[in-house]
Amino acid sequence: MTLTNAQEDDPGSADRSSRSAISYIRVSTKEQAERDGDPEGYSIPAQREAIERKAKSLGVQIMREFVDRGDSAKTADRPQLQRLLRFVDEEPGVTHVIVHKVDRLARNRMDDVTISFALRKAGVTLVSAAENIDETPSGMLMHGIMSSIAEFYSHNLATEVVKGMNQKAKIGGTPGKAPLGYRNVRVCNSEGREVRTIDLDPERAELIRWSFHAYATGDWTLTALAAELEVRGLTTRPTPKFPARPVRASHLYSILTHPYYKGRVVWRGAEHSGRHPRLVDDALWSRVQSVLEAHAPGEKQRIHDHYLKSSVFCGGCGSRLVITNAKNRYGQIYPYFVCVGRHQKRTSCTRKAILISVVESLVEDFYADVSLDDDLRDHLETTLVAQLEASQCQAMNDQRDLETQRQGLANQRIKLLQAHYAGAVPLDLLKSEQHRIGQQLEIIEARLSATTAHFHDVRKNLTAALDFAVACHRAYLEADGRTRRLLNQALFEKLYIDDGEASGEPLEPFQTLLGTEAMATVGRGTITDAPTTDATSSASPAPSTGVWTRSSIGRSRRRTHQTNRPAATDHVQRSLKATTQVRPARFELATS
């Protein structure tokens, strides 16, 4: 017996008789249609054999076959089913349509009635190979019952699937397909049972992690970062319909804002703690969100790049300094830093443009002034180490309190989810409360990471910071542009450029090391807490509090070098915080 496939255009070669039939076969998923590498899997041949046996028992010949591979019966809008209905309407020789079961045609009663009416109107009898349905009253009753059962099965299956996915999300599983950088894998547990779990994608996970670290620096736009990831080889996962493609900026934005990468599973508007390995920690993820918010609603591609960009600000109005290129009549280009407040007329600043080479020299000179001498460095290390040893007991008490607070917040989160699934808490309130709890947990985790740090690591970071404070000028002079950018970001929140001098806002731990009263006591300078009334600085007040200026360093150097170090170290002890020396620095000390 020769079958003519539904994709062929000319069915005329088929052997027609007065009793001809067509068959309809359907499988719900592509996996069923292509199981074990077979293009038809197991279900399609099994349905075909049952239909052929039924046709032989009826004494009819199958003239054409229609197969829907991977189409659900929730809707009648299936390509081969629609072609079948058109075929029986146009071909008068068809007397029967044979299916394996009624649910192959439809899984809801409305579609079943519509399809049955269309077949009856064309004078075609619907036959099931596995069910006794015909035009007799008992056959029509059986048809209605089987149609209702198919609809019940579909609705009940959907309900059970949703229930299972809800429970999976509650315990930290991943409902559905994992995002880029992860893989859905099947492994065997100790009992030999197959378990579906999530694993890192060895080809893409590290690139995704790098993209978070890179974007957190603020030096990339989404477009530029997507182009760099394409160069590095990041692509989407290939599918049967689409090949692997580079990740575009819109897709990259969804990656950078997806909580899944920090270990959270979002399901039906609620967040759950995931069991999958996370690619980034909460602190890095929060920094990336801050950079994204700062760039909203759009980003500008940096045309003129320089290692001082994003670090230098106007000493007059506090606005950012940006690069502009001026060209003389001979075509020679002169690069300048200009105040964006004056350039865009957002402030009343009168700061003139400054050659980039001049700004570079001012910053280099400023590094020479902020360096510690060896005697003060050794004295600070002795004092701070003694203070750290004395604070260990308090740190242990703080750790116990923080653990209690963290457990309390975790319990709140569980009760909140239980109340939501019980219908007592609406979704909008759930989201706001989860956001609040998440922020508090991030703060507690940061403090716990400080209190649980080993004393050896704290001592190591302290020594590295003090060593760098001594050698920062030499390290800066020997560094290339990229390293200088990192050094500026590690030491200073902002660098202010004024008339003939640079000033800065030190970051921790250097704010404590370089800006304490101990500095003034030994004649090295101090962080100014208020604008000075000295004639040398009245024309250009400090842009904000906490700024270390070269003029204040100079005035301190003219003071007596008679020091009272015990008083200075008392201040260091009072100002030292538990987290000051814990976080590792973002640089490495230059070595000769």
Side-chain angles (χ1 to χ4, degrees):
M1 179 173 54
T2 302
L3 296 180
T4 306
N5 191 278
Q7 280 73 23
E8 296 179 359
D9 294 328
D10 183 17
S13 60
D15 181 21
R16 290 176 172 79
S17 65
S18 59
R19 292 172 58 83
S20 299
I22 59 177
S23 64
Y24 178 73
I25 298 172
R26 181 187 66 82
V27 289
S28 300
T29 64
K30 294 292 185 183
E31 289 76 11
Q32 287 178 289
E34 301 174 359
R35 184 155 296 173
D36 290 346
D38 193 313
E40 290 193 336
Y42 300 146
S43 181
I44 292 177
Q47 293 183 49
R48 183 181 291 125
E49 291 178 6
I51 290 172
E52 289 175 353
R53 288 195 300 269
K54 188 66 175 179
K56 185 176 182 180
S57 67
L58 294 174
V60 298
Q61 183 176 4
I62 298 176
M63 60 182 296
R64 191 159 184 178
E65 181 182 90
F66 295 83
V67 181
D68 273 315
R69 292 175 170 85
D71 289 289
S72 172
K74 290 182 178 179
T75 174
D77 189 19
R78 286 164 267 154
Q80 292 304 308
L81 176 61
Q82 293 302 316
R83 293 189 68 181
L84 180 150
L85 295 176
R86 290 194 299 268
F87 183 82
V88 297
D89 189 50
E90 297 169 358
E91 179 62 46
V94 178
T95 58
H96 295 78
V97 171
I98 306 177
V99 296
H100 180 233
K101 289 184 178 181
V102 172
D103 62 8
R104 298 299 89 192
L105 272 182
R107 282 198 182 275
N108 66 77
R109 286 173 293 176
M110 183 177 294
D111 287 342
D112 181 76
V113 170
T114 302
I115 295 170
S116 298
F117 179 77
L119 295 178
R120 185 173 299 177
K121 183 179 178 182
V124 177
T125 301
L126 176 64
V127 177
S128 171
E131 299 152 341
N132 187 21
I133 62 171
D134 50 33
E135 297 299 322
T136 64
S138 59
M140 296 175 65
L141 175 62
M142 178 63 69
H143 185 177
I145 293 173
M146 298 310 299
S147 176
S148 298
I149 291 175
E151 183 175 38
F152 165 78
Y153 175 82
S154 178
H155 291 173
N156 184 66
L157 179 63
T159 302
E160 293 300 319
V161 168
V162 171
K163 184 191 301 183
M165 296 178 80
N166 285 341
Q167 182 60 31
K168 187 174 185 178
K170 287 181 182 180
I171 63 176
T174 302
K177 192 174 182 180
L180 195 67
Y182 292 91
R183 298 185 306 170
N184 296 78
V185 296
R186 300 182 181 185
V187 297
C188 291
N189 60 16
S190 58
E191 300 176 355
R193 297 179 180 177
E194 185 180 79
V195 178
R196 297 183 181 185
T197 184
I198 302 296
D199 196 7
L200 294 177
D201 188 335
E203 297 181 5
R204 299 174 176 85
E206 288 304 318
L207 290 173
I208 296 293
R209 180 183 283 115
W210 177 85
S211 67
F212 274 90
H213 284 278
Y215 198 79
T217 65
D219 298 332
W220 296 86
T221 66
L222 288 173
T223 303
L225 186 57
E228 177 63 21
L229 288 171
E230 181 178 358
V231 172
R232 291 173 178 248
L234 180 63
T235 62
T236 60
R237 287 185 293 251
T239 65
K241 290 185 177 181
F242 301 102
R245 294 176 294 183
V247 174
R248 299 307 178 193
S250 57
H251 188 186
L252 181 59
Y253 178 83
S254 65
I255 290 175
L256 295 177
T257 56
H258 204 315
Y260 193 87
Y261 295 100
K262 66 170 182 175
R264 304 294 296 169
V265 175
V266 180
W267 175 247
R268 304 186 73 180
E271 279 196 10
H272 307 268
S273 180
R275 295 182 298 179
H276 60 278
R278 61 180 186 176
L279 282 175
V280 299
D281 55 30
D282 292 336
L284 177 59
W285 195 84
S286 297
R287 289 203 304 272
V288 170
Q289 308 317 303
S290 299
V291 174
L292 286 170
E293 292 176 3
H295 288 175
E299 296 176 313
K300 293 183 179 179
Q301 183 69 34
R302 296 186 174 189
I303 301 175
H304 310 302
D305 197 15
H306 192 273
Y307 66 85
L308 286 175
K309 285 188 69 172
S310 302
S311 295
V312 289
F313 293 78
C314 176
C317 66
S319 300
R320 190 183 300 273
L321 295 184
V322 296
I323 293 177
T324 184
N325 289 331
K327 183 186 298 184
N328 65 11
R329 59 180 177 175
Y330 302 107
Q332 186 174 1
I333 296 176
Y334 295 91
Y336 288 90
F337 270 117
V338 297
C339 173
V340 73
R342 177 183 178 181
H343 180 68
Q344 298 181 357
K345 299 181 180 180
R346 296 186 302 192
T347 66
S348 57
C349 182
T350 59
R351 178 77 57 209
K352 295 182 179 180
I354 312 173
L355 282 170
I356 288 181
S357 58
V358 174
V359 176
E360 291 174 345
S361 297
L362 292 176
V363 175
E364 290 174 1
D365 294 341
F366 181 59
Y367 267 84
D369 290 312
V370 301
S371 300
L372 289 177
D373 58 53
D374 292 332
D375 291 339
L376 181 57
R377 178 241 179 269
D378 295 339
H379 182 69
L380 283 174
E381 181 175 24
T382 301
T383 304
L384 292 174
V385 169
Q387 176 66 12
L388 286 171
E389 291 174 345
S391 64
Q392 291 303 299
C393 181
Q394 181 62 37
M396 294 180 63
N397 294 331
D398 292 343
Q399 181 180 350
R400 286 192 293 269
D401 294 340
L402 290 171
E403 290 285 359
T404 302
Q405 295 178 33
R406 183 171 65 174
Q407 186 60 43
L409 289 171
N411 293 336
Q412 286 184 35
R413 175 178 279 171
I414 294 174
K415 291 179 180 178
L416 187 65
L417 285 171
Q418 292 174 345
H420 169 68
Y421 286 117
V425 176
L427 183 59
D428 56 347
L429 179 59
L430 173 70
K431 289 182 177 180
S432 63
E433 285 298 297
Q434 283 193 327
H435 179 69
R436 176 187 63 82
I437 294 174
Q439 287 183 323
Q440 293 181 1
L441 283 173
E442 287 179 7
I443 296 173
I444 290 176
E445 290 293 346
R447 294 181 62 188
L448 273 174
S449 65
T451 58
T452 56
H454 296 293
F455 177 73
H456 173 74
D457 296 332
V458 177
R459 175 73 178 271
K460 182 179 178 181
N461 291 334
L462 171 62
T463 302
L466 288 170
D467 287 343
F468 180 76
V470 172
C472 61
H473 182 231
R474 175 174 58 85
Y476 191 79
L477 292 179
E478 295 175 356
D480 57 15
R482 183 177 180 276
T483 305
R484 285 190 175 193
R485 180 196 294 274
L486 296 176
L487 292 174
N488 290 330
Q489 293 174 346
L491 264 73
F492 301 102
E493 179 72 24
K494 295 179 180 180
L495 287 169
Y496 291 101
I497 305 302
D498 217 323
D499 292 330
E501 71 171 13
S503 58
E505 296 180 11
L507 292 168
E508 292 290 5
F510 304 102
Q511 185 174 4
T512 298
L513 298 179
L514 306 180
T516 64
E517 294 174 0
M519 296 296 186
T521 305
V522 297
R524 290 304 316 276
T526 182
I527 293 179
T528 58
D529 291 327
T532 178
T533 57
D534 190 282
T536 61
S537 59
S538 59
S540 179
S544 63
T545 60
V547 178
W548 193 352
T549 65
R550 292 190 67 199
S551 58
S552 66
I553 296 172
R555 288 193 301 273
S556 296
R557 281 178 173 170
R558 291 191 293 270
R559 298 173 187 168
T560 176
H561 288 263
Q562 298 285 334
T563 63
N564 183 11
R565 285 186 173 174
T569 56
D570 288 343
H571 174 82
V572 173
Q573 293 176 4
R574 291 194 304 270
S575 62
L576 184 64
K577 303 297 182 183
T579 59
T580 298
Q581 302 295 336
V582 174
R583 293 195 315 171
R586 295 180 289 173
F587 56 84
E588 293 183 0
L589 184 63
T591 57
S592 57

